[in-house]
Amino acid sequence: MSTKFRRALIVTFVLLLAAAFAPAAHADQTSKAQPFIVGGHDVSIGDHPYVVYLVDGRDHQFCGGTLVEHDTVLTAAHCAAAVRPYELGVVAGRQDTRMADGIEAGVRSVWLAPGYQDPTAGNDIAVLKLDRSVPYRPARLPSGGDSDLYRPGTEAMVLGWGRLWEGGDKATELQGATVPVMSDSQCIQAYGSYEPDTMMCAGYPEGGVDACHGDSGGPLVVGDILVGIVSWGDGCAKPGKPGVYTRVATYSDHVESLLVRLRG
Ligand code: ARG
């Protein structure tokens, strides 16, 4: 056997070996990725039936959302503006993005909050009217009497299919993490552009638990009440850099009257 041929044989063998082990190595990596959203855990969509995700024209998950009626979704304006409405899809009732269960709806109309320009400038909220009704229980909007929902220390849960760590893989199964609401003064300390009227922030001072890229538009809930919408942050789960959410209560009245109009 010529050395050249032998070398080629060895190279082929090594490549085959690598191919054989690659899937195992990958599986191992994903199983190590127990922390989710960042620092969360698997949650059942049955317990949070209002959580949906948005897909683009190629059917890729890119944001989250929340059913507030059987045919209406609240999401972030920066999510709704990222894709042309006719390419936008909403997937409801699906725990695992690799599956085909649940319902995929199209979007009939998109409303962006007036004044929305950029998440860090606030008003990062949008309403999507779906082209069909889905049979999953919607979340509630905060009302005037619910002001203590925003009290610092209130435990809220953020949900989504976004990255499991900064720059990491996206989750395939719905993830959830508990984060405490932070005080406005802490949020202002973290971010100069924080605006208490239209935003709220949540997380631990030491970081470690947070929403991440791909979670945008998704819900921050206290019980079944939608208190926040994942909007922005500096990286994910960094100490001193909490997640910033759209303060839904600020928009409740506006959204409610829009829902009435959309129903008619
Ligand atoms: N803007 C990001 C997205 O497109 C999510 C930002 C949330 N970041 C955070 N650290 N909480 O999904």
Side-chain angles (χ1 to χ4, degrees), residues 20-86:
F21 279 98
H26 183 74
D28 181 46
Q29 208 174 45
T30 41
S31 69
K32 255 194 296 190
Q34 282 315 333
F36 316 124
I37 250 189
V38 178
H41 52 90
D42 276 336
V43 300
S44 162
I45 198 159
D47 293 334
H48 306 275
Y50 44 79
V51 194
V52 301
Y53 64 87
L54 310 189
V55 291
D56 61 17
R58 291 181 305 157
D59 240 18
H60 287 149
Q61 185 276 346
F62 71 99
C63 271
T66 308
L67 287 165
V68 290
E69 301 247 295
H70 287 287
D71 64 350
T72 316
V73 164
L74 230 55
T75 187
H78 81 263
C79 292
V83 173
R84 284 182 284 258
Y86 63 88

Side-chain angles (χ1 to χ4, degrees), residues 62-63 78 210-216 230-237 243-244:
F62 71 99
C63 271
H78 81 263
D210 195 6
C212 200
H213 308 296
D215 290 319
S216 277
V230 178
S231 181
W232 60 281
D234 175 353
C236 307
V244 186

